[in-house]
Amino acid sequence: MIFVEFPGPIQKENLELDIANLEELKEILNQDESLKEWLKICAVLVNDEIITDPKTKFNNGDRVVILAPVCGG
């Protein structure tokens, strides 16, 4: 089971999913029309490390954050 968070402007409820890797997560999240555009521009962090490889394996208890780009100063 992994825990998925959507902080910032995405405004989605957190999820608990039983999946193996980033590729599976993207398949699930792309089913939500309101997330499709966000997923093109967001970073994905697993336990506070940015990942890009869709084959990245998840471990039980991993915290996955879908992080939208932000502006500020």
Side-chain angles (χ1 to χ4, degrees):
M1 185 74 60
I2 65 161
F3 305 94
V4 184
E5 300 175 13
F6 303 90
I10 298 176
Q11 302 286 319
K12 288 287 181 183
E13 292 291 323
N14 294 346
L15 301 172
E16 292 184 19
L17 300 170
D18 189 16
I19 56 175
N21 57 40
L22 179 58
E23 187 172 49
E24 288 181 22
L25 177 61
K26 286 184 176 185
E27 286 177 22
I28 290 169
L29 296 181
N30 272 313
Q31 293 174 13
D32 182 333
E33 289 296 322
S34 67
L35 281 176
K36 280 187 176 183
E37 291 303 313
W38 281 114
L39 295 175
K40 293 177 186 176
I41 59 173
C42 288
V44 178
L45 287 76
V46 176
N47 302 323
D48 299 322
E49 288 189 36
I50 294 176
I51 61 168
T52 57
D53 182 358
K55 300 295 183 192
T56 298
K57 299 286 184 200
F58 293 143
N59 297 308
N60 190 38
D62 278 350
R63 178 176 166 255
V64 179
V65 177
I66 308 301
L67 190 61
V70 295
C71 296

